[in-house]
Amino acid sequence: MRYLKLLLIFVLLSFAMAPEMKLKRVAKDIYMVRGVDALPSVENRGFMSNAFAVLTKEGWVVIDALSTPELSKEFVDNLYRVKKAPIKYAIITHYHPDHYYGAKTYKDLGATIIAHEKLLEFYRSGDAQQTLQAQKERFKGLFDKVVLVPPDRTVKDRLTLKVGGKTFELISMTPAHTNSDLVVYMPEEKVLFAGDLLYMNRIPFMGDRNASSKGWVEALRKIRDMDIKVVLAGHNEPMGKESIDFTLGYINFLRDNIKRLKEEGKSLDEIKELLKNNPYAKYVMYDVFHNANVFKIYTELDMEE
Ligand SMILES: [Zn+2]
C-alpha cells in the first residue's frame, strides 16, 4: 500500500515536471516551441531544444526536429491547429539528437528533409546508428521510438529555397558547434535561424568531437556581417544580434586564457582550477558544459600549434 502511494506520487510528480509544449508566434508566419534548459531525461521527454516553423502559401517549412518522433508529432499537431497545410520542407541544423532524432515524423508526412552533406555522411557511415544505440542505453526508454532518416537533399556551401513566396537561404557554417552546422536566413524578414551557434546568457556546448572553436569564431564573424533583426536559436528565447557578442565573448575568453596559460606551462587540471571563478559561471548550463569546453579547446590548441 505504502509502495503504491509512493508510486502514485512519483507518477503525478513526473507529469508535473514534464514540460508542456506550447506553440508561440514569434513574428508574422513564424512559430516556435521552446524546450527547457537541461540535459535530456525521461522526465523532460527530451524536450530541451527548440523547433521552428514558417507558414508559406505552399505549406510549412520547419526548422529542426526535436529529440523524438513523439515530440515532433506533437509539434506538427500544434502547427495543424494554426493551419492544416502540408509540411513542405524540414531543415535540420545539425546532427545532434535534440535537433535530428524527430525527423522521421516529417518524412512520413511527405516533407523533403534538408541537412548539411556531413549529416548524410554521418548517417551513411554507421556512426549515426551507433550514436543512437549509445543514447538508447544511456537514457533508457527515451529514444525507443527514434528511427533515423537520411536527408533527401544536402547543402555543401549554400542553397536558396523559394517556397510559397518566401526565401530561405541555407548557409553552411562548419566546422563550429559540429561539422554539420547550417543556418537559415530569411532575407526579407531579416530573421536568422541559428541552430546551436548563438546564445544569450547560456553556455554553448563545444565538446562535440567535430566542434571547432576556431571555426566557430569565423562563423560568428560571418553572421555579424548579415542584416539580422531576430535570431531564433536552438536553446534560447528569440534574441537579437547581442547574442553574437555574448557567444563570441565566451569563446574568446576561453581561447585567449587557455592559450596564455598553456604558454605558461600549466596543465589541463591547473587551467581548469585557474579559470574556475570567471564571469560566465553564473549562466545557464555552465556546470554541465564549461569543463568539457575547456578540455576541448585545450586539445584543439595542441593541434593549432
Ligand atoms: Zn547541438
Side-chain angles (χ1 to χ4, degrees):
M1 190 58 203
R2 199 162 145 220
Y3 170 75
L4 271 177
K5 226 185 223 169
L6 274 175
L7 187 74
L8 184 70
I9 289 169
F10 178 75
V11 168
L12 285 173
L13 261 179
S14 39
F15 270 114
M17 276 158 62
E20 200 193 334
M21 187 182 288
K22 257 198 189 141
L23 190 73
K24 284 191 288 190
R25 181 181 172 277
V26 286
K28 188 176 179 287
D29 297 330
I30 304 180
Y31 297 82
M32 78 178 279
V33 292
R34 170 87 172 98
V36 295
D37 289 307
L39 288 177
S41 66
V42 174
E43 289 73 32
N44 67 29
R45 303 185 293 145
F47 184 34
M48 27 61 74
S49 57
N50 304 340
F52 302 92
V54 181
L55 185 59
T56 77
K57 280 182 225 139
E58 282 178 42
W60 293 100
V61 173
V62 295
I63 292 109
D64 279 341
L66 303 167
S67 298
T68 66
E70 293 94 322
L71 288 172
S72 52
K73 175 78 175 50
E74 195 177 331
F75 178 50
V76 169
D77 288 342
N78 274 288
L79 298 180
Y80 283 173
R81 259 174 247 137
V82 175
K83 189 166 186 188
K84 185 99 197 351
I87 313 284
K88 297 293 290 182
Y89 293 94
I91 302 162
I92 310 299
T93 60
H94 60 293
Y95 64 35
H96 280 160
D98 52 327
H99 301 260
Y100 172 41
Y101 279 7
K104 187 164 184 292
T105 299
Y106 303 143
K107 180 114 182 160
D108 291 346
L109 292 167
T112 300
I113 313 276
I114 310 181
H116 196 279
E117 64 175 15
K118 290 282 177 189
L119 191 146
L120 180 60
E121 218 173 88
F122 178 62
Y123 175 87
R124 283 187 176 151
S125 70
D127 286 356
Q129 201 53 47
Q130 227 172 44
T131 308
L132 172 60
Q133 223 36 58
Q135 298 281 2
K136 281 186 177 173
E137 303 270 303
R138 186 170 165 208
F139 301 100
K140 289 258 182 270
L142 184 57
F143 296 117
D144 286 358
K145 296 224 165 72
V146 174
V147 176
L148 300 177
V149 293
D152 303 297
R153 278 176 80 174
T154 60
V155 181
K156 186 182 166 65
D157 297 313
R158 188 182 268 265
L159 171 71
T160 303
L161 275 185
K162 301 250 183 198
V163 193
K166 289 186 162 70
T167 308
F168 301 83
E169 284 171 13
L170 285 60
I171 309 162
S172 165
M173 289 286 171
T174 60
H177 175 65
T178 65
N179 66 350
S180 58
D181 304 305
L182 280 186
V183 299
V184 182
Y185 179 59
M186 296 183 73
E188 285 97 18
E189 292 77 1
K190 300 190 189 347
V191 168
L192 181 80
F193 298 93
D196 279 0
L197 294 187
L198 288 173
Y199 298 87
M200 197 64 216
N201 300 345
R202 189 192 201 268
I203 299 302
F205 173 61
M206 305 164 75
D208 187 278
R209 69 190 161 118
N210 292 310
S212 162
S213 64
K214 196 180 184 189
W216 202 327
V217 168
E218 274 168 43
L220 293 178
R221 290 199 176 122
K222 269 187 242 165
I223 293 172
R224 188 142 68 185
D225 289 337
M226 296 164 73
D227 188 7
I228 296 166
K229 270 206 304 214
V230 183
V231 173
L232 299 171
H235 299 277
N236 273 97
E237 293 293 331
M239 304 175 283
K241 276 188 118 171
E242 70 284 352
S243 57
I244 302 171
D245 295 323
F246 179 85
T247 313
L248 202 53
Y250 175 71
I251 299 173
N252 280 333
F253 169 82
L254 285 188
R255 283 184 58 88
D256 295 348
N257 281 293
I258 295 169
K259 197 170 192 171
R260 175 178 56 82
L261 292 167
K262 275 188 82 152
E263 278 163 11
E264 287 171 20
K266 300 284 192 287
S267 71
L268 175 62
D269 283 338
E270 286 169 323
I271 292 176
K272 277 185 184 164
E273 192 58 32
L274 284 162
L275 294 183
K276 228 162 110 185
N277 296 313
N278 69 66
Y280 293 94
K282 60 176 180 280
Y283 294 120
V284 180
M285 301 309 273
Y286 180 86
D287 293 339
V288 194
F289 294 152
H290 178 72
N291 275 339
N293 295 341
V294 172
F295 172 77
K296 174 71 191 178
I297 292 181
Y298 181 90
T299 47
E300 216 185 301
L301 289 170
D302 278 340
M303 311 289 281
E304 280 176 31
E305 273 158 14

